[in-house]
Amino acid sequence: MSIQHYLRFTDLSAEEYGWLFRRAAIIKRRFKAYEKYHPLADRTLAMIFEKASTRTRVSFEAGMYQLGGSVVHLTTGDSQLGRAEPIEDTARVISRMVDLVMIRTFGQDKIERFASHSRVPVINGLTNEFHPCQILADLFTFLEHRGLDADGVPDPAALQGKVVAWVGDGNNMANTWLQAAELLGFTVHLSTPSGYEVDQSVPGVRSCASYKVFKDPKDACRGAHLVTTDVWTSMGYEAENDARRKAFADWCVDSSMMGVASRDALFMHCLPAHRGEEVQADVIDGPQSVVWDEAENRMHVQKALMEYLLLGRVD
Ligand code: CP
Ligand code: NVA
């Protein structure tokens, strides 16, 4: 039987996303009502972090415990990964002992190599190229606020024709937004400083017909239903910090950008945020911002994802 991994946003179909959004809403409702739900009793999740994390660590760990399972946490520094054990060998060993693996690492190639030697599903918890769990949470959050059907169920059809403005770096988040747009039928308005465009060699980015590029970030925001941004310097690129500060100075989401967006536009940021750099405080702390729902929803959607990868469609 082939193993279902979640390494890129495109690893699931639009129809599977519809299922996941519905499950996440049910799982969230049960959690809020303090209902016990332990479908993953006796299952173990290994989490491997080669980069720092707050949200990803807590959301996967708390989520797995809430589903009745347990968690093993490894970092480069405290495992043999930091002492050059091949990723393929690590995958063979760990996947004989646990039921599911989540990895945050540098190159996408590393997680793909791990997955191809794993006996159990592997989830991408962020690579240099992609951050699919975050976009899963962002879309769920958008639907909670702007796309519930008459029965209060998140309806991905509400994404059709919507415009998401991406202001900032052409990074892992931007790449993943592009993959999601193509799959789910919305458009991304992309504005990045020159030299920081999305990398056309990243699979799925070159082929994507669902984005338009704007020189001026304000033009990207015009009419957008969601405005979103991210740090100027992603993890692993710290050596470029000074150059990036200069290059990105005009790519700070402020009230003038939100002012040209659709009247009911939302603001999102995957966090951690730097007020006064990529976003002004009055935007991230203002009424259009849904960043705290967005962060919380990481846990609910990932619980739905773990349930789906391990048990399939349960009710
Ligand atoms: N958004 C996100 O992935 O946050 P962490 O880096 O804290 O996990
Ligand atoms: N683009 C950022 C996201 C952090 C959650 C990074 O890769 O550091």
Side-chain angles (χ1 to χ4, degrees), residues 23-258:
R23 281 304 293 168
I26 292 168
I27 286 172
K28 180 171 182 176
R29 199 162 55 237
R30 286 183 176 163
F31 170 76
K32 297 282 181 189
Y34 296 98
E35 275 177 40
K36 262 198 180 58
Y37 180 55
H38 288 170
L40 301 187
D42 300 326
R43 309 285 182 119
T44 305
L45 165 73
M47 304 193 297
I48 303 173
F49 283 98
E50 298 210 279
K51 290 176 177 172
S53 169
T54 297
R55 278 144 289 269
T56 304
R57 163 103 194 250
V58 176
S59 56
F60 269 105
E61 188 158 342
M64 190 60 178
Y65 285 130
Q66 288 161 21
L67 293 174
S70 49
V71 176
V72 178
H73 176 251
L74 293 104
T75 66
T76 317
D78 65 15
S79 69
Q80 300 289 5
L81 275 167
R83 301 180 66 251
E85 180 166 15
I87 196 85
E88 293 81 359
D89 293 358
T90 309
R92 288 182 178 107
V93 172
I94 291 179
S95 70
R96 283 176 178 237
M97 300 179 187
V98 305
D99 303 280
L100 188 61
V101 180
M102 188 287 305
I103 309 181
R104 167 168 286 193
T105 188
F106 292 87
Q108 180 74 12
D109 62 307
K110 213 165 171 183
I111 200 170
E112 309 253 354
R113 274 161 53 214
F114 189 105
S116 65
H117 291 82
S118 172
R119 289 182 167 191
V120 301
V122 178
I123 298 173
N124 184 345
L126 181 146
T127 58
N128 290 348
E129 288 85 351
F130 298 118
H131 197 3
C133 291
Q134 184 66 56
I135 302 302
L136 181 60
D138 293 6
L139 290 170
F140 179 72
T141 307
F142 184 84
L143 293 177
E144 269 191 327
H145 285 269
R146 299 284 181 261
L148 297 178
D149 69 14
D151 298 319
V153 177
D155 179 6
L159 295 168
Q160 298 281 329
K162 293 289 187 300
V163 172
V164 174
W166 176 265
V167 176
D169 194 13
N171 64 11
N172 44 9
M173 284 288 297
N175 290 339
T176 315
W177 270 116
L178 298 188
Q179 294 202 330
E182 189 158 46
L183 194 68
L184 299 176
F186 59 93
T187 303
V188 178
H189 285 185
L190 204 60
S191 180
T192 63
S194 154
Y196 298 94
E197 295 86 359
V198 289
D199 180 354
Q200 295 272 322
S201 68
V202 171
V205 172
R206 191 208 326 252
S207 64
C208 179
S210 311
Y211 71 96
K212 292 185 189 147
V213 174
F214 295 82
K215 229 179 151 72
D216 183 340
K218 205 164 169 179
D219 289 336
C221 294
R222 220 171 286 286
H225 303 95
L226 168 65
V227 177
T228 186
T229 186
D230 189 8
V231 292
W232 288 345
T233 305
S234 286
M235 292 179 280
Y237 298 84
E238 289 78 3
E240 301 172 12
N241 216 1
D242 289 343
R244 283 172 173 267
R245 272 174 194 280
K246 289 189 194 100
F248 282 76
D250 293 334
W251 275 261
C252 172
V253 178
D254 59 16
S255 53
S256 78
M257 292 187 200
M258 294 305 295

